[in-house]
Structures are given as C-alpha cells and as structure tokens.
Amino acid sequence: MRQKGWMRRPANTTGWPIFEKLGRGVGNVMFGWVEVPMTIQRHYREQDATASMAAGLFMGLAKAMGRTVVGAYETVTCVLPIPPGYASILPPLDYFADRHPDWQLPR
C-alpha cells in the first residue's frame, strides 16, 4: 500500500518524520540547558579560565535559550513539514563528542 502525505517517509530518516521532529523538539526543550556547560568547556580549551567562564557562560546561555525556543517550535509544528522534509533546524546536541559543531543556521 502506498503512503500519502504526512505518512510518507523521506529517504533520509529512519522512522515517521512527525515523531522524529517531535522527539527532537522535546529533547531540545528538556536538554537545551546542556549548552551552557558545553560552551564553557569548549571555551576553556581555547582560552584562559576567566575568559572562558565569562564568554562561555553568556554564549552558552544564548545557545540554551535558542535551543529551547527551537525545541518548542519543533514540538508545536511537528505535524507540519516545515522546514521541507521535516529537516532539523539545529545540529544535534551531542555532549559526549570531542567537538560540538558551532551553530550554522540554514540559508
């Protein structure tokens, strides 16, 4: 049986795209705060302790707020194919990776 519309699975995902987008949204809302210690840690590797704490704290707070807002947006709009193909807006949050990619918003 051929699936139509919202039930059709794009080639680049592993499950139903609505539930993947919902999961990303809920995860970003719940764990957006992890951006704060991650950003402080990343800045600590590149700068001294005082500068890394100040810059990492403010940048981490901004990223945490952004990730939480994007998570709320993805949660609310999980049934709509926005962006096309239910694509992710932000890179996944991988706290245990050696290098976390900087945010690059789609153009």
Side-chain angles (χ1 to χ4, degrees):
M1 184 170 137
R2 212 176 144 112
Q3 295 177 341
K4 296 181 181 179
W6 65 273
M7 292 183 66
R8 189 174 329 131
R9 197 167 89 184
N12 62 349
T13 61
T14 57
W16 283 7
I18 290 174
F19 295 116
E20 289 180 4
K21 186 175 179 182
L22 178 64
R24 275 194 319 262
V26 171
N28 282 337
V29 168
M30 291 177 60
F31 298 108
W33 62 269
V34 175
E35 287 281 0
V36 176
M38 255 177 40
T39 307
I40 292 172
Q41 178 188 18
R42 193 177 75 229
H43 278 277
Y44 183 71
R45 287 188 214 156
E46 299 169 0
Q47 301 170 353
D48 64 344
T50 306
S52 66
M53 184 63 182
L57 178 65
F58 291 117
M59 289 180 70
L61 286 172
K63 286 184 176 185
M65 287 176 19
R67 186 168 292 277
T68 303
V69 169
V70 168
Y73 170 78
E74 285 193 329
T75 301
V76 170
T77 64
C78 68
V79 296
L80 304 173
I82 302 170
Y86 298 91
S88 180
I89 296 173
L90 295 176
L93 182 61
D94 192 3
Y95 187 72
F96 298 105
D98 285 341
R99 174 130 172 87
H100 179 66
D102 283 328
W103 289 6
Q104 295 178 356
L105 297 176
R107 296 178 194 253

